[in-house]
């Protein structure tokens, strides 16, 4: 298993390198992969800052790979790893689903579009050479697969008892989920409605690539809502079942991360003007969709976190006191 982890880690780091090299070339004034007449050549300081931010984000993936495979990573507090891993899963999750489908469609139809890099609008080839989109998004897909594999192995080794626990624990343990969480979930559902409507409208009017992207976001919306609803519904008095916690937890984790992080990233691009340079839609309806998507993801994460902590406490063996040990001796 250690050898397999080392191979997966090497693939993850290798998948980061093309993107890092391209970004560093652009940050230093190079034009590798940028055709003449591209809007990126006149993008100004905003795109430079966004490029620097994405370099830092891709570098963080390498740090996460090391934390998931090296011994010192096991000693890190869970909270230190949770936030960057949640963000990484959120940003890479849609790419791992949408890009292969876009590539398959392009191969079947003979399309030479920009794949997932166009931001849902046409003209991607005018921004960058076609090989750049393929190289970068292939790297992102490999990052998603390898990082998620290492994450699964890490979590299984460190919190295996929690993941293997039943979805409905049963028994007489009290349910510590605050009553107001059901109101929070109702608010999340209401906020999700404009998000769902926005992506549905874009699916009707957009290109095939953008339809695949919007359909992917809708998939994550419904998966996240269903998963968090299941987590909030599992009280201590419920009947024990054979269903395990980990599929529901994985859907809640990834779905909330996708909604919050991608919604926030699209909103940042729209508000700074960087998204306009990439052809991203920045209308009022689009801003509403991005804002609601971000808010839904954050709400679902806030609702799921206390349930996860509660279940972790149920799965952690309680220490036996000296007096109790003497009584059982």
């Amino acid at each position: 298993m250690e050898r397999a982890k080392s191979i997966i880690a090497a693939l993850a780091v290798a998948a980061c390198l093309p993107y890092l090299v391209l970004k560093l070339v652009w940050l230093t004034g190079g034009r590798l992969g940028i055709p003449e007449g591209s809007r990126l050549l006149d993008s100004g300081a905003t795109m430079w800052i966004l490029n620097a931010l994405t370099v830092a984000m891709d570098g963080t993936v390498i740090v996460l790979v090391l934390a998931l495979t090296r011994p010192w990573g096991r000693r890190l507090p869970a909270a230190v790893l949770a936030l960057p891993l949640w963000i990484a899963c959120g940003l890479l999750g849609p790419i791992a689903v949408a890009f292969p489908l876009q590539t398959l469609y392009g191969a079947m139809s003979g399309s030479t579009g920009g794949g997932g890099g166009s931001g849902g609008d046409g003209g991607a080839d005018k921004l960058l050479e076609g090989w750049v989109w393929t190289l970068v998004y292939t790297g992102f897909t490999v990052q998603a697969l390898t990082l998620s594999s290492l994450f699964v192995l890490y979590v299984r080794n460190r919190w295996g008892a929690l993941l293997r626990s039943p979805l409905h624990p049963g028994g007489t343990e009290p349910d510590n989920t605050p009553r107001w969480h059901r109101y929070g979930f109702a608010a999340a559902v209401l906020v999700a409605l404009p998000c769902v409507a926005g992506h549905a409208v874009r699916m009707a009017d957009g290109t095939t690539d953008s339809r695949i992207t919007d359909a992917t976001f809708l998939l994550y919306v419904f998966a996240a809502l269903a998963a968090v609803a299941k987590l909030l519904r599992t009280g201590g008095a419920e009947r024990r079942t054979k269903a395990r916690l980990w599929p529901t937890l994985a859907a809640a984790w990834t779905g909330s991360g996708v909604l919050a992080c991608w919604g926030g990233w699209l909103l940042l691009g729209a508000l700074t003007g960087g998204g306009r340079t990439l052809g991203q839609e920045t209308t009022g309806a689009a801003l509403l969709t991005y804002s609601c998507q971000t808010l839904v993801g954050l709400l679902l994460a806030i609702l799921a976190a206390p349930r996860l902590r509660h279940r972790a406490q149920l799965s952690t063996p309680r220490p036996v006191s000296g007096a109790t040990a003497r009584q059982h001796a």
Side-chain angles (χ1 to χ4, degrees):
M1 184 60 69
E2 291 303 317
R3 181 176 177 82
K5 287 170 62 176
S6 299
I7 294 174
I8 296 173
L11 287 174
V13 173
C16 295
L17 295 181
Y19 187 73
L20 285 174
V21 170
L22 277 172
K23 289 288 185 171
L24 290 174
V25 168
W26 296 342
L27 287 172
T28 55
R31 297 186 176 185
L32 179 63
I34 304 178
E36 292 293 334
S38 171
R39 294 192 300 271
L40 293 176
L41 297 177
D42 302 315
S43 56
T46 299
M47 283 302 300
W48 192 96
I49 293 173
L50 292 177
N51 281 333
L53 179 59
T54 53
V55 166
M57 293 163 63
D58 214 42
T60 302
V61 172
I62 297 177
V63 176
L64 288 174
V65 169
L66 295 176
L68 295 175
T69 54
R70 307 307 301 167
W72 54 265
R74 293 290 299 272
R75 298 189 294 270
L76 290 175
V80 174
L81 279 175
L83 181 59
L85 279 170
W86 181 69
I87 294 173
C89 290
L91 291 176
L92 293 173
I95 297 174
V97 174
F99 178 68
L101 293 176
Q102 291 168 337
T103 302
L104 179 62
Y105 172 80
M108 294 178 62
S109 64
S111 172
T112 58
S118 63
D121 294 310
D125 54 335
K126 297 179 181 179
L127 289 172
L128 293 168
E129 300 289 351
W131 63 265
V132 175
W133 298 115
T134 302
L135 179 67
V136 168
Y137 278 82
T138 299
F140 284 157
T141 304
V142 175
Q143 287 181 45
L145 296 176
T146 52
L147 188 63
S148 61
S149 299
L150 293 174
F151 186 31
V152 168
L153 293 174
Y154 180 92
V155 171
R156 189 186 67 175
N157 291 335
R158 187 167 178 178
W159 297 290
L162 173 63
L163 297 182
R164 291 189 297 270
S165 64
L167 177 60
H168 303 285
T172 59
E173 290 285 349
D175 185 2
N176 294 330
T177 302
R179 185 182 297 269
W180 59 266
H181 274 202
R182 57 184 70 174
Y183 298 108
F185 183 76
V189 173
L190 291 176
V191 176
L193 294 179
C195 174
V196 171
H199 286 298
V201 170
R202 287 158 61 94
M203 283 182 63
D205 299 335
T207 64
T208 300
D209 279 353
S210 68
R211 288 173 183 170
I212 293 175
T213 300
D214 288 306
T216 301
F217 282 130
L218 288 176
L219 173 66
Y220 279 111
V221 170
F222 296 133
L225 288 172
V228 173
K230 278 188 174 184
L231 288 177
L232 297 180
R233 199 167 57 235
T234 55
E238 293 197 31
R239 181 169 56 88
R240 191 182 183 97
T241 66
K242 293 183 178 180
R244 298 299 173 186
L245 175 65
W246 69 264
T248 301
L249 183 59
W253 172 279
T254 307
S256 63
V258 167
L259 299 179
C261 299
W262 258 107
W265 181 253
L266 292 172
L267 188 61
L268 176 65
L271 295 178
T272 60
R276 226 177 349 258
T277 302
L278 298 175
Q280 175 187 327
E281 185 181 353
T282 57
T283 62
L287 290 175
L288 177 62
T289 301
Y290 304 150
S291 300
C292 289
Q293 181 171 324
T294 305
L295 185 56
V296 169
L298 292 175
L299 280 173
L300 294 179
I302 291 171
L303 291 171
R307 170 57 60 185
L308 178 58
R309 286 197 298 269
H310 175 61
R311 291 301 303 274
Q313 292 171 358
L314 294 181
S315 302
T316 302
R318 296 178 180 178
V320 179
S321 65
T324 304
R326 286 193 296 270
Q327 291 175 3
H328 289 277

